[in-house]
Amino acid sequence: MNDFRSLKFLDTCKFLFKMLRIDYDVMRKILQLKLTMDQRRVPTILNMNASKKKEGNQFLKSLGLYGLYGLILIPFIFLGDNYMLQMSLTFGVIMFLLMTSMISDFSSVLLDVRDKNILSTKPVSKKTISAAKMVHVSIYMSLLTGAFVAIPFIVMIINKGIVFSLLFLGVLIFNVLFIIALTALIYIVTLQFFNGERLKDIINYVQILLSVGIIVGYQLLIRSFEIVDLTVSYTFSWWHAFIPPIWFAAPFEWLLNQNMSSEIIYLAMAALLIPVISIIIYYRLMPSFERNLEKLIGDSGENKKKLYVLDFLWARLVCFNREERVFFRLASLMMKKEREFKLKVYPSLGFALVFPFLFLLNGLSDGSLSDIGQGNMYLTIYFSSIMIPAVIHMLKFSENYKGSWVFRATPIEDLGSLHRGTIKAYLVKLYLPVFIVLSAAFIWIFSVRIVPDLIVVFLAGCLLIIISYRLLNGETYPFTQSFEFAQDMNTGLNILLTLVSGVFALIHFFVLSYSYGVYLYLVVLLIATIVSWLKFFPKARVL
């Protein structure tokens, strides 16, 4: 096996591990083996063409892309001496990228139980195994972070000087420690309270909530600053204490701008102390974490047969023949049970719920909620439809794609019922719940006067679903392809279909100028939806 440079650097810190009573030699051997095996793993950022064979260490190759992404940090460096703004934005972007990478690529490392059958039979302490996991993740996160900030750091030295740049490096170390510890602690808490299959679902939801939370947090960060006549000012509010990027910006304001206000000092102390405290807590909980990881090996809970009454009821309501009902229930179960599907699709549903409200927040800066309720900003609900093409595309994929032979072996009388049942399942199980929640909130804000408009938005969404399914999935059987091909999509067509939602919104905005324009638009969309449904999914017999 290779003697990696990262391990040689780690040798210089050998005494620290011995102080923590960790068997360094054993930990180093475990890390050497894991790093060797990782050379075959393809990071998410390079998974855009997973169907093609890739050779060499894919993670190291991905660092070049992270270096290019780091260029987006450079404009923030030239925002003058308003360190709270520029460093909050900088660390906001860094935390967004590192957290998403941690979720997509490294959660499987923290939750890995495959080596327990080997290591548990050997004289290796659980503390050493946990330390190996944490160092394993830390090595890759350090390389990723280094690649991401390398070019901006050079620009920073030239533009800001060596003192600013060294402070940035120091704060960045605490930032990375915080991200790693936070992710690990979330999983520790989850493992503590849930068992078996339920635990695996909860972990899935935690990953999804983290993805959505990052986007929402970034929007809150932007709104922490007031911009008047191109002059940016920062005023502390109590809720800023819950936004980590602001913590990590505070040391710059405190030390370089000599801002000695108590709020800035408290935020700076949070940036230094909370990551350290988080790492200490994780270190204390490592033995418990390893014990609880055993819950992932099997299902310790009772397996009870569930009666999916609602699925049967919906199938009766929206499907008009026996075969269509069967495929409706099949698609409903696949969307409900497949964790990989949920991990890829549910964040999009979360974004669909959040985005309309984020754009409403912009209106609150110019007026009150009652003022907004008198206008036509309810059209922001169309932002919930831009996720439709991406989700429809995912209906082709499944973890259990090898069982797709059953579609060809089963004597299906109407092939169209397979696609119709799947689309209706998506409409009822995923699209409709999001739309109902948004509609209820928007009716509360804008009153019942927008009910006809909401019907128009719903019909536009249904039409977009039909068009997207036909163009993206075609005649492909649903749930019959491997997720490794999920990134092999027609990107141009996907973007074009996403823009169709904007076209519907523009037409809607235009027809509001006429007295009965909304009702006429409603009728047109209803006819177009029915015609598209009958044309794209006619009854087709299997020969």
Side-chain angles (χ1 to χ4, degrees):
M1 291 185 291
N2 294 332
D3 194 13
F4 298 91
R5 292 181 181 177
S6 56
L7 296 180
K8 292 179 180 179
F9 175 79
L10 197 64
D11 290 338
T12 61
C13 305
K14 183 177 181 179
F15 68 97
L16 291 176
F17 293 98
K18 290 189 174 181
M19 287 174 57
L20 297 173
R21 297 180 182 179
I22 293 170
D23 191 333
Y24 178 78
D25 294 329
V26 173
M27 185 191 75
R28 192 184 194 282
K29 186 61 68 176
I30 294 173
L31 284 170
Q32 189 176 16
L33 179 61
K34 286 181 177 289
L35 291 173
T36 300
M37 295 175 64
D38 283 346
Q39 292 181 348
R40 307 177 210 170
R41 184 169 61 85
V42 180
T44 302
I45 197 171
L46 279 185
N47 207 25
M48 297 305 292
N49 197 356
S51 60
K52 294 183 179 179
K53 185 178 179 181
K54 295 179 174 67
E55 298 177 353
N57 192 320
Q58 299 303 314
F59 180 83
L60 294 180
K61 293 179 180 179
S62 72
L63 295 181
L65 287 176
Y66 283 111
L68 291 176
Y69 288 166
L71 297 177
I72 64 177
L73 297 178
I74 293 178
F76 302 144
I77 299 173
F78 297 95
L79 292 179
D81 294 331
N82 194 323
Y83 296 134
M84 288 301 292
L85 173 63
Q86 66 179 203
M87 299 317 295
S88 292
L89 293 174
T90 298
F91 282 106
V93 173
I94 291 173
M95 291 188 69
F96 171 77
L97 181 129
L98 295 185
M99 285 292 286
T100 50
S101 297
M102 188 78 182
I103 294 167
S104 61
D105 287 326
F106 302 124
S107 289
S108 58
V109 176
L110 285 174
L111 302 173
D112 188 13
V113 294
R114 293 174 298 176
D115 55 3
K116 293 188 74 67
N117 292 332
I118 300 174
L119 296 178
S120 296
T121 60
K122 305 296 185 292
V124 182
S125 67
K126 292 182 178 180
K127 185 182 295 186
T128 300
I129 296 174
S130 294
K133 285 185 177 181
M134 182 57 70
V135 175
H136 184 198
V137 175
S138 300
I139 288 173
Y140 278 118
M141 291 293 283
S142 299
L143 291 172
L144 187 154
T145 307
F148 187 62
V149 304
I151 299 176
F153 183 71
I154 295 172
V155 176
M156 196 178 293
I157 292 175
I158 298 172
N159 183 260
K160 297 292 187 180
I162 191 67
V163 175
F164 182 96
S165 304
L166 290 177
L167 179 59
F168 172 76
L169 279 183
V171 175
L172 183 63
I173 292 173
F174 285 93
N175 184 262
V176 174
L177 289 175
F178 174 72
I179 291 171
I180 296 173
L182 177 63
T183 306
L185 289 173
I186 289 173
Y187 288 141
I188 287 174
V189 173
T190 305
L191 284 162
Q192 186 69 35
F193 294 103
F194 298 97
N195 297 315
E197 290 299 313
R198 183 60 177 167
L199 169 64
K200 297 173 184 177
D201 289 334
I202 293 296
I203 289 174
N204 215 199
Y205 298 142
V206 166
Q207 293 170 326
I208 292 163
L209 289 174
L210 279 175
S211 300
V212 177
I214 290 169
I215 296 294
V216 175
Y218 192 68
Q219 293 294 324
L220 291 175
L221 170 63
I222 296 297
R223 288 168 174 80
S224 300
F225 298 88
E226 296 180 359
I227 302 177
V228 180
D229 296 330
L230 298 180
T231 301
V232 181
S233 62
Y234 171 76
T235 304
F236 176 80
S237 298
W238 64 269
W239 54 273
H240 294 177
F242 298 97
I243 304 179
I246 294 181
W247 306 347
F248 297 103
F252 296 86
E253 183 72 13
W254 177 29
L255 299 176
L256 300 181
N257 271 348
Q258 298 296 306
N259 187 337
M260 297 299 175
S261 64
S262 58
E263 293 87 356
I264 295 297
I265 295 175
Y266 291 148
L267 290 172
M269 289 297 101
L272 301 177
L273 295 178
I274 291 180
V276 174
I277 293 171
S278 301
I279 289 293
I280 293 174
I281 293 174
Y282 174 72
Y283 172 73
R284 295 289 185 184
L285 295 177
M286 278 196 300
S288 173
F289 183 43
E290 285 300 318
R291 286 195 301 271
N292 288 329
L293 273 178
E294 296 174 1
K295 297 177 182 179
L296 289 173
I297 297 176
D299 185 2
S300 58
E302 295 181 5
N303 289 318
K304 296 181 179 180
K305 185 177 180 180
K306 297 181 180 180
L307 297 177
Y308 298 100
V309 179
L310 286 178
D311 288 350
F312 282 90
L313 178 61
W314 276 114
R316 286 283 181 183
L317 288 174
V318 302
C319 300
F320 306 112
N321 61 62
R322 182 180 59 83
E323 278 191 348
E324 198 171 296
R325 295 188 192 106
V326 170
F327 292 122
F328 176 94
R329 293 196 296 270
L330 173 64
S332 298
L333 285 172
M334 295 293 284
M335 289 185 282
K336 185 184 298 182
K337 291 293 186 180
E338 291 223 341
R339 295 187 185 89
E340 186 73 15
F341 178 85
K342 290 190 288 186
L343 187 58
K344 292 182 180 296
V345 168
Y346 281 21
S348 297
L349 301 180
F351 298 150
L353 275 172
V354 169
F355 280 170
F357 295 109
L358 291 179
F359 287 96
L360 281 181
L361 285 176
N362 293 326
L364 284 176
S365 60
D366 300 325
S368 64
L369 192 63
S370 59
D371 294 332
I372 292 177
Q374 302 302 316
N376 57 11
M377 286 194 69
Y378 54 82
L379 293 180
T380 59
I381 197 172
Y382 275 100
F383 283 103
S384 65
S385 300
I386 63 177
M387 305 299 175
I388 287 176
V391 178
I392 288 293
H393 171 74
M394 296 307 300
L395 292 176
K396 293 190 292 188
F397 306 103
S398 170
E399 297 173 80
N400 303 301
Y401 66 96
K402 292 182 180 179
S404 60
W405 57 268
V406 72
F407 289 127
R408 299 189 180 277
T410 304
I412 304 174
E413 294 182 2
D414 178 13
L415 187 59
S417 63
L418 173 59
H419 301 292
R420 292 195 299 269
T422 301
I423 292 176
K424 290 179 180 179
Y426 162 73
L427 184 66
V428 169
K429 306 296 291 186
L430 299 181
Y431 179 74
L432 194 58
V434 172
F435 185 79
I436 289 175
V437 171
L438 287 173
S439 297
F442 274 58
I443 289 174
W444 178 72
I445 297 172
F446 296 96
S447 78
V448 294
R449 70 183 177 89
I450 67 167
V451 170
D453 299 274
L454 293 177
I455 297 174
V456 167
V457 175
F458 178 75
L459 288 174
C462 292
L463 182 57
L464 182 58
I465 290 170
I466 296 170
I467 296 172
S468 298
Y469 189 94
R470 181 64 179 179
L471 295 180
L472 291 173
N473 296 12
E475 299 297 328
T476 304
Y477 289 176
F479 310 110
T480 57
Q481 295 186 16
S482 171
F483 277 112
E484 70 176 10
F485 299 100
Q487 299 295 338
D488 295 338
M489 65 173 69
N490 189 330
T491 306
L493 182 58
N494 224 285
I495 294 175
L496 183 62
L497 288 171
T498 300
L499 295 176
V500 169
S501 179
V503 173
F504 287 141
L506 287 174
I507 297 174
H508 195 155
F509 178 76
F510 176 75
V511 301
L512 289 176
S513 305
Y514 301 91
S515 300
Y516 297 97
V518 170
Y519 299 97
L520 179 62
Y521 188 33
L522 189 155
V523 173
V524 171
L525 282 175
L526 180 62
I527 295 173
T529 302
I530 295 173
V531 171
S532 299
W533 180 262
L534 296 176
K535 178 176 177 60
F536 290 154
F537 305 105
K539 187 171 182 179
R541 294 187 176 277
V542 178
L543 298 177

